[in-house]
Amino acid sequence: MNRIALLTFTNSDNYGALLQAYALQEKLSQLGYDSTFLDYRRPFRPKSMLRRLKYFLVKRLLTRFFQTKRQRSMERFRRQYFQRTKPLQSRSEMIKMAAEFQIFIVGSDQVWNIPKLFDDDTFLLPFVSDQQRRISYAPSFYFSTFPEDYISLYKRELEKFDFLSVRELEGQQYVRDLIGREATLVLDPTLLLTQNDWDKIAIPYQSKDPYIFCYFIPEGFGQKPILTNRIIEFARKISERNHWKIVCCGNKSKAAVFPAQTENDVGPLEFLGFFQNASFVLTNSFHGTSFAVNYKRPFYSFLDGKYSLIEKAKSRIGTLLGLLGLESRFLSTKEDFPEPSEWDISFDEAELRLDKERIQSLDFLKTAIK
């Protein structure tokens, strides 16, 4: 059988990044395929010397000796659930390791945002030979305007792919404009697994009382304070009406602003457990949205109000909710909060659509591999 190499963000201490990576490898295993992550340790090359120094002091020295409980949980998860190669830190090491595989799948996550990766083009698979197969599964570009300086790079490398898929309408348009090909729109790997699949590894959150789960992408990662402030405001509104407690994760500074139980030092398995029994979910995260949908929890996702309706629809969250007919659960910071009569949600139609999208996404994967 052809050996399959996977390439995505496996060394990020981010819940969504690790869980989407796990989901793709697990789903391939369920389909009967053996796959291995290329354990690529992406070099950090900021142009600013100050940022380089800060990175060296914090990442290379402090975290090596003073890992947080959350970081230790992330590393345990990687050791327990990932099948991966030895660490690879250079292009020559990638080329040498690549010779052991016949099929390469890159994605999901924001692996095609090359400018934010300090011009590291590894996730476009330039180290793969023409005799090997290149497949993209649900990667994101994650920029609203395509950077002109990178057009030739993307065109050159994307044309080499045998099978192309993306996870948002915006990405489809970029591929179409760049190389005149149609990339298949597929689900993020986290949605290829069912709620029952996730329940097998999740550690349930123990609570005697109903709770609202707020999951924030921290400010400084492209998120503005107004976005998390609106989530806080809405959480208070729901809490006061229903007398539910608030549990939040992802942003310590914001959690302290309102009466909430903060849970920022948990691992991926505990993170999953928050969704299992939440009475409501509020988030500005794509993966927070995908798990709320998978667990059929009443939810709202938030986006900065600077985006137009068209941009909102083409975004990662907008594309997903559009596919499932749940557009009304996507709010911008400029919109009024929905009335209490609108808070409840039926997932009957969304579940049928999700099942259909799963089948189509898995058909893409199986066809590309075979």
Side-chain angles (χ1 to χ4, degrees):
M1 181 181 290
N2 289 334
R3 295 194 67 195
I4 300 174
L6 306 177
L7 184 60
T8 186
F9 297 146
T10 51
N11 291 297
S12 169
D13 289 336
N14 175 280
Y15 299 118
L18 290 191
L19 291 171
Q20 64 83 21
Y22 163 82
L24 183 56
Q25 190 166 66
E26 173 64 17
K27 179 49 68 174
L28 288 172
S29 177
Q30 291 179 9
L31 294 173
Y33 301 113
D34 183 41
S35 63
T36 303
F37 284 113
L38 299 177
D39 190 10
Y40 177 52
R41 307 298 175 94
R42 183 168 58 85
F44 188 74
R45 302 188 183 115
K47 296 177 182 179
S48 164
M49 288 301 297
L50 182 62
R51 288 195 68 189
R52 290 186 188 185
L53 179 61
K54 181 180 178 182
Y55 175 80
F56 177 79
L57 290 174
V58 175
K59 295 292 185 182
R60 295 295 186 190
L61 294 181
L62 293 179
T63 58
R64 178 172 295 182
F65 300 104
F66 302 102
Q67 280 192 323
T68 65
K69 181 180 177 182
R70 180 173 179 270
Q71 289 169 325
R72 290 193 296 271
S73 296
M74 296 286 191
E75 186 53 36
R76 280 197 302 271
F77 181 86
R78 281 186 279 264
R79 288 198 303 267
Q80 182 176 355
Y81 291 104
F82 287 179
Q83 180 176 322
R84 51 183 175 168
T85 65
K86 67 179 183 180
L88 306 168
Q89 297 180 303
S90 68
R91 182 58 54 88
S92 61
E93 289 178 321
M94 294 291 281
I95 293 172
K96 185 177 180 180
M97 182 61 70
E100 300 184 17
F101 298 90
Q102 293 76 45
I103 298 173
F104 295 79
I105 303 176
V106 62
S108 176
D109 227 329
Q110 300 171 33
V111 294
W112 280 358
N113 190 351
I114 306 304
K116 287 292 184 183
L117 300 180
F118 306 106
D119 297 348
D120 182 1
D121 65 353
T122 301
F123 294 92
L124 288 170
L125 306 184
F127 58 90
V128 176
S129 75
D130 291 341
Q131 286 69 49
Q132 296 163 309
R133 193 177 314 169
R134 296 174 176 88
I135 302 168
S136 71
Y137 187 81
S140 279
F141 291 88
Y142 200 62
F143 32 70
S144 55
T145 304
F146 204 94
E148 293 187 6
D149 293 345
Y150 294 84
I151 288 177
S152 60
L153 167 65
Y154 280 100
K155 287 184 68 172
R156 182 179 69 247
E157 299 304 333
L158 289 180
E159 285 176 344
K160 299 176 185 177
F161 273 77
D162 300 284
F163 293 87
L164 282 163
S165 72
V166 292
R167 70 178 179 186
E168 65 256 329
L169 293 170
E170 193 173 58
Q172 264 193 323
Q173 188 61 54
Y174 288 150
V175 173
R176 195 179 297 126
D177 292 342
L178 284 165
I179 61 173
R181 284 171 59 184
E182 197 66 29
T184 303
L185 193 65
V186 294
L187 292 175
D188 183 80
T190 56
L191 289 164
L192 296 181
L193 298 185
T194 65
Q195 178 181 333
N196 289 336
D197 291 322
W198 289 116
D199 281 342
K200 292 175 184 177
I201 65 169
I203 297 177
Y205 173 65
Q206 302 297 327
S207 177
K208 296 179 181 178
D209 305 310
Y211 62 93
I212 304 161
F213 179 48
C214 297
Y215 176 50
F216 308 103
I217 297 177
E219 291 163 20
F221 289 82
Q223 305 299 312
K224 300 293 180 63
I226 188 174
L227 195 55
T228 44
N229 288 341
R230 287 290 279 174
I231 295 175
I232 289 171
E233 189 180 347
F234 198 14
R236 282 177 175 156
K237 186 181 180 72
I238 298 173
S239 177
E240 289 169 1
R241 180 178 180 84
N242 294 335
H243 306 290
W244 295 341
K245 72 175 184 179
I246 301 169
V247 177
C248 61
C249 178
N251 194 323
K252 284 185 178 180
S253 62
K254 290 299 177 185
V257 174
F258 64 115
Q261 180 175 335
T262 62
E263 299 284 355
N264 288 305
D265 289 327
V266 300
L269 306 185
E270 292 86 356
F271 174 76
L272 286 171
F274 290 129
F275 292 92
Q276 286 181 301
N277 297 309
S279 296
F280 218 101
V281 174
L282 298 177
T283 186
N284 60 348
S285 155
F286 172 81
H287 286 113
T289 304
S290 71
F291 283 115
V293 167
N294 223 343
Y295 273 101
K296 296 188 281 294
R297 302 291 93 192
F299 76 97
Y300 281 102
S301 298
F302 287 76
L303 186 75
D304 196 334
K306 69 181 180 181
Y307 291 96
S308 69
L309 289 175
I310 295 176
E311 289 172 329
K312 181 177 169 182
K314 289 183 177 180
S315 69
R316 295 174 299 157
I317 296 176
T319 297
L320 171 61
L321 297 184
L323 286 173
L324 303 181
L326 297 174
E327 299 94 330
S328 63
R329 313 306 287 194
F330 199 16
L331 303 177
S332 80
T333 53
K334 293 183 178 179
E335 293 179 77
D336 293 332
F337 293 138
E339 294 299 319
S341 60
E342 302 174 77
W343 293 352
D344 201 10
I345 180 174
S346 170
F347 281 96
D348 292 345
E349 178 63 26
E351 194 167 16
L352 292 174
R353 293 192 185 197
L354 181 56
D355 287 341
K356 178 182 177 182
E357 294 297 331
R358 275 199 188 108
I359 292 170
Q360 293 177 348
S361 296
L362 291 173
D363 283 346
F364 169 84
L365 257 182
K366 289 184 283 190
T367 299
I369 292 171
K370 289 181 178 179

